Amino acid sequence: MLVAGATGAAAEPVPEFDFADCPALPAGADPALWRCEVLVSTGTLTFGRFHEMPVRTMRTTFAEGTLDGRHAQVFGALRAEPTPLPGPLPVALRPRYAGHFDFHENEQRKGEIDLAFALEGPMLPRTCASTPVHSVVQEHGPAGPVPGHPGVAKFGLVDRQLTVPATTGCGPLGRLLDRYLGLPSPAVHLQTVYVKMRGY
């Protein structure tokens, strides 16, 4: 994803990048062969009874480089703002990292990540979420450097094969939430992503 900066064009607004979540490198890794990447994305999520619901900012940080002559990655963090769900219930949706990622792109996909969609509200326990889902994203639309912001690139991602399963850990409100949200349900996740990286 290494992209050279562009100059000589009007700047567009871009998010702020914070490298505080850059992970420690594996034992034996040469820092000169590694970089930390921060992806900041917004977009829409379609599932159940919600069509193209705007999803607030999600920030994903990871490192990638070479270890023992082979490509390697280390996850840093996923931090997402809660997205209030439309309708009368005071419930918000927040993506959480669910233990697996691979952002080494190939011809079949741009990357993949396991997510759980946490449901937050005044009457819901902290354990309330969807069971984890495996998201495989494809590049969507134009991609390239952002004029006026050296080192920043922009691209689109889409997962049209995502499924949001029924909730778990929501207590007695679980079945009510599933009916209200229309879960389990096929889903489509569209994202606009800004990325910036730095060395170690």
Side-chain angles (χ1 to χ4, degrees), residues 170-193:
C170 299
L173 293 177
R175 291 185 179 180
L176 175 62
L177 277 173
D178 288 342
R179 289 196 298 269
Y180 174 71
L181 300 174
L183 300 180
S185 168
V188 176
H189 192 194
L190 283 165
Q191 301 176 64
T192 298
V193 182

Side-chain angles (χ1 to χ4, degrees), residues 78 80 94-98 114-120 126-129:
L78 186 152
R94 188 196 301 261
R96 292 178 180 168
Y97 178 60
D114 285 0
L115 299 170
F117 293 98
L119 294 165
E120 302 176 354
R126 292 180 59 85
T127 55
C128 185

Side-chain angles (χ1 to χ4, degrees), residues 13-51:
V14 301
E16 294 185 4
F17 291 90
D18 182 348
F19 290 90
D21 288 326
C22 292
L25 298 183
D30 181 353
L33 302 178
W34 284 74
R35 61 179 182 255
C36 181
E37 300 192 27
V38 179
L39 282 66
V40 182
S41 63
T42 57
T44 63
L45 181 62
T46 297
F47 71 97
R49 61 191 298 266
F50 303 109
H51 182 68

Side-chain angles (χ1 to χ4, degrees), residues 102-166:
D102 183 358
F103 293 153
H104 189 199
E105 61 186 274
N106 56 39
E107 293 181 357
Q108 285 72 45
R109 50 113 170 118
K110 188 76 171 177
E112 59 186 67
I113 188 169
D114 285 0
L115 299 170
F117 293 98
L119 294 165
E120 302 176 354
M123 299 179 64
L124 298 177
R126 292 180 59 85
T127 55
C128 185
S130 72
T131 52
V133 297
H134 183 63
S135 176
V136 179
V137 292
Q138 313 288 337
E139 194 161 326
H140 177 73
V146 179
H149 296 274
V152 179
K154 177 183 177 182
F155 54 88
L157 296 177
V158 61
D159 184 350
R160 299 187 184 278
Q161 301 180 7
L162 185 66
T163 296
V164 179

Side-chain angles (χ1 to χ4, degrees), residues 56-59 78-82 93-96 120:
R56 292 184 177 176
T57 301
M58 183 168 70
R59 185 182 307 270
L78 186 152
R79 301 185 185 277
E81 298 177 7
L93 186 77
R94 188 196 301 261
R96 292 178 180 168
E120 302 176 354

